Amino acid sequence: MSTDADRNLEGELASASAGQVGIPVDAICVGCGRTRVKRARPAEMDQPVHVDPTDLEASDLTSFKHVCHRCQSATWWNPVAVLTGLLESEGGEQE
């Protein structure tokens, strides 16, 4: 099993399994406990649509539903970090 230090967050964000639009967050699947980078729209995490992602903390966010490929279903994910560094690397283009 890999550790957080072994993870490639940019690679995870680029993966189709992260989603296409939304704020990149590190999140834990409630089904299997796997931590992955996922994209979620602000409204999915009970935030205003036009919120500045750099102002968010993981504790501000609610769980959101997203596909977990390990669980092979859509399941709930609990955000543990807003990945502002990944936002900056892609030019801050978010919906």
Side-chain angles (χ1 to χ4, degrees), residues 6-86:
D6 296 333
R7 292 177 57 206
N8 176 351
L9 299 179
E10 287 181 0
E12 288 181 31
L13 181 63
S15 167
S17 64
Q20 298 282 322
V21 294
I23 299 167
V25 296
D26 214 16
I28 299 173
C29 172
V30 299
C32 66
R34 182 180 197 189
T35 302
R36 300 298 291 174
V37 174
K38 295 291 183 180
R39 289 183 181 271
R41 289 183 172 95
E44 293 175 291
M45 299 179 289
D46 286 339
Q47 294 297 312
V49 174
H50 298 293
V51 68
D52 181 353
T54 59
D55 291 337
L56 294 175
E57 298 290 333
S59 59
D60 298 330
L61 309 176
T62 61
S63 298
F64 60 94
K65 207 152 198 178
H66 206 284
V67 173
C68 177
H69 293 278
R70 182 179 284 172
C71 292
Q72 298 183 354
S73 67
T75 187
W76 291 100
W77 292 78
N78 294 325
V80 293
V82 178
L83 301 173
T84 54
L86 294 180

